[in-house]
Amino acid sequence: QTRFPPRTHRSSRSNNMTGSIRDCVTLNNGIEMPQLGFGVLGVGDHSAVIRAVLDAIDAGYRSIDTASVYGNERGVGEAIRQSDVQREDLFITTKVWNDAQREGRTLAAFDESLARLDLEYLDLYLVHWPVEGHYKQTWQELESIYRSGRARAIGVCNFMPHHINDLLTVTQVTPSVNQVEFHPLLVQPKLMRVCRDHGIQLEAWGPLMKGHFDSVRTIVDLAARYRKTPAQVVLRWHLQHGVVAIPKSSRRARIIENADLYDFVLDAEDMDMLDALNAGKRFGPDPYDFDF
Ligand code: NDP
């Protein structure tokens, strides 16, 4: 029997049950992070990225998740400049890629990301993958970036319980966030518990199972019952678990659909039914077995 940690539907800005797209979680250093964000992996060419990020901001998203390896930080930066929303009202995340996880190279990679984004600071800077033999050193460089004030929070991605426990032997600053693949087919209750025990916010990449939810009967049936779409049911499940989610879409209609999550609540039995889909199924690489 899988044991899940207790659910917390944390919403620091709204008091009602359904919440709003302005809902934030409070990270372990007191910084507020929007619970729903927009992911830009593979959104398209430069102009498609600008268009998608502007569409997302227009739809109410205030958090954008990019990475140096996505090759689209310039487009994200351009959209930020073109948008009517103030920089300080946005939450911008990027990540240090694996080839920059070498002594002294992480600081340079951070500067290069900031320059491509044309920003003075980041809201969140993440270690992209737990590169064996290097991630502790990388983390120490992120700590120095954090202390310099140029990243409001720092965190990791794809860290499994073993990586977290190992990293915590050297940290002076506990990661604020762990961004991992997380969706109803890959719930990772042990990882959820370890993150919660250390005050590390879980953030879901691939929350939409990369679009594969249409074949999952339970999700399709629940969507019909709640008169929502399968994507909305899955994202609502993330919110009610207290997890940050960053769905990606290149299409304006879906960008809007994926943010329209605040007029329904999944009841406890339906949350349980979605939890029970957990099958350890990954659509992306395995953090214990990757070669890049
Ligand atoms: P998602 O789970 O967000 O799925 C995206 C896919 O779902 C796309 O094919 C998209 O197609 C489709 N889709 C989006 N909305 C809908 C909808 N309403 N109905 C049907 N299909 C839909 O996968 P991602 O891998 O993109 O993950 C999200 C973000 O997480 C990334 O963009 C990136 O920012 C981050 N990420 C981080 C990783 C890490 O290692 N830290 C690894 C992977 C991702 P279309 O665009 O055509 O709408």
Side-chain angles (χ1 to χ4, degrees), residues 38-43 64-67 70 95 97 126-129 156-158 179-183 203-214 229-232 235 245-255 257-258 284-285 292:
F38 182 62
V40 297
L41 167 61
V43 157
I64 311 295
D65 181 89
T66 184
Y70 302 169
K95 315 180 189 95
W97 185 239
L126 298 173
V127 179
H128 209 147
W129 285 86
V156 295
C157 303
N158 302 303
Q179 184 187 104
V180 297
E181 183 176 352
F182 182 92
H183 46 67
E203 178 176 18
W205 66 254
L208 295 174
M209 300 146 62
K210 305 223 175 228
H212 290 93
F213 44 71
D214 268 343
T229 65
Q232 289 166 337
L235 292 171
I246 45 169
K248 169 264 173 186
S249 178
S250 310
R251 310 178 202 197
R252 184 178 165 79
R254 284 180 174 177
I255 291 171
E257 174 188 332
N258 297 343
F292 48 85

Side-chain angles (χ1 to χ4, degrees):
Q1 174 70 34
T2 318
R3 278 198 313 115
F4 295 94
R7 291 179 199 122
T8 49
H9 181 206
R10 288 198 277 159
S11 55
S12 59
R13 296 241 177 109
S14 64
N15 296 321
N16 61 18
M17 283 288 286
T18 51
S20 93
I21 196 165
R22 293 283 174 269
D23 286 351
C24 288
V25 295
T26 305
L27 303 181
N28 57 11
N29 64 350
I31 297 293
E32 300 230 305
M33 175 179 192
Q35 205 185 346
L36 186 72
F38 182 62
V40 297
L41 167 61
V43 157
D45 64 14
H46 186 64
S47 58
V49 172
I50 298 171
R51 183 72 269 143
V53 173
L54 285 171
D55 282 345
I57 292 173
D58 204 33
Y61 297 78
R62 291 293 177 267
S63 168
I64 311 295
D65 181 89
T66 184
S68 57
V69 76
Y70 302 169
N72 58 22
E73 291 172 315
R74 281 183 210 286
V76 172
E78 183 56 37
I80 294 168
R81 271 190 304 287
Q82 287 184 21
S83 96
D84 296 333
V85 176
Q86 298 294 313
R87 160 68 185 100
E88 54 273 25
D89 293 328
L90 296 170
F91 190 100
I92 308 300
T93 301
T94 193
K95 315 180 189 95
V96 53
W97 185 239
N98 301 352
D99 62 6
Q101 290 197 48
R102 300 291 181 272
E103 198 168 343
R105 291 207 48 208
T106 302
L107 292 174
F110 177 80
D111 286 338
E112 287 157 16
S113 282
L114 267 194
R116 282 189 293 265
L117 286 158
D118 196 14
L119 294 178
E120 286 177 5
Y121 68 91
L122 282 178
D123 295 280
L124 180 61
Y125 196 47
L126 298 173
V127 179
H128 209 147
W129 285 86
V131 177
E132 220 42 75
H134 294 282
Y135 59 75
K136 287 181 182 166
Q137 172 66 34
T138 304
W139 184 255
Q140 278 159 0
E141 296 192 43
L142 260 65
E143 287 186 346
S144 80
I145 292 166
Y146 177 65
R147 283 194 208 94
S148 78
R150 293 189 304 154
R152 296 172 70 227
I154 51 176
V156 295
C157 303
N158 302 303
F159 273 47
M160 297 294 101
H162 151 81
H163 302 118
I164 293 174
N165 290 327
D166 186 40
L167 185 68
L168 288 175
T169 62
V170 298
T171 52
Q172 294 186 355
V173 179
T174 301
S176 286
V177 169
N178 186 16
Q179 184 187 104
V180 297
E181 183 176 352
F182 182 92
H183 46 67
L185 299 188
L186 184 68
V187 183
Q188 312 193 64
K190 180 175 175 201
L191 181 65
M192 285 177 89
R193 271 199 305 281
V194 170
C195 287
R196 197 157 295 180
D197 288 350
H198 294 289
I200 301 170
Q201 174 64 47
L202 203 71
E203 178 176 18
W205 66 254
L208 295 174
M209 300 146 62
K210 305 223 175 228
H212 290 93
F213 44 71
D214 268 343
S215 57
V216 183
R217 191 80 234 160
T218 304
I219 295 174
V220 174
D221 289 350
L222 279 178
R225 184 140 61 72
Y226 282 92
R227 296 180 194 278
K228 299 296 286 186
T229 65
Q232 289 166 337
V233 165
V234 169
L235 292 171
R236 185 73 211 180
W237 172 85
H238 285 83
L239 299 186
Q240 289 181 215
H241 263 304
V243 170
V244 171
I246 45 169
K248 169 264 173 186
S249 178
S250 310
R251 310 178 202 197
R252 184 178 165 79
R254 284 180 174 177
I255 291 171
I256 294 167
E257 174 188 332
N258 297 343
D260 180 13
L261 309 175
Y262 303 98
D263 60 355
F264 75 118
V265 177
L266 296 168
D267 67 32
E269 278 171 29
D270 296 332
M271 287 292 289
D272 289 345
M273 220 149 75
L274 290 167
D275 289 351
L277 294 174
N278 186 24
K281 165 83 182 150
R282 292 185 183 280
F283 295 94
D286 185 339
Y288 279 129
D289 184 23
F290 65 98
D291 59 359
F292 48 85

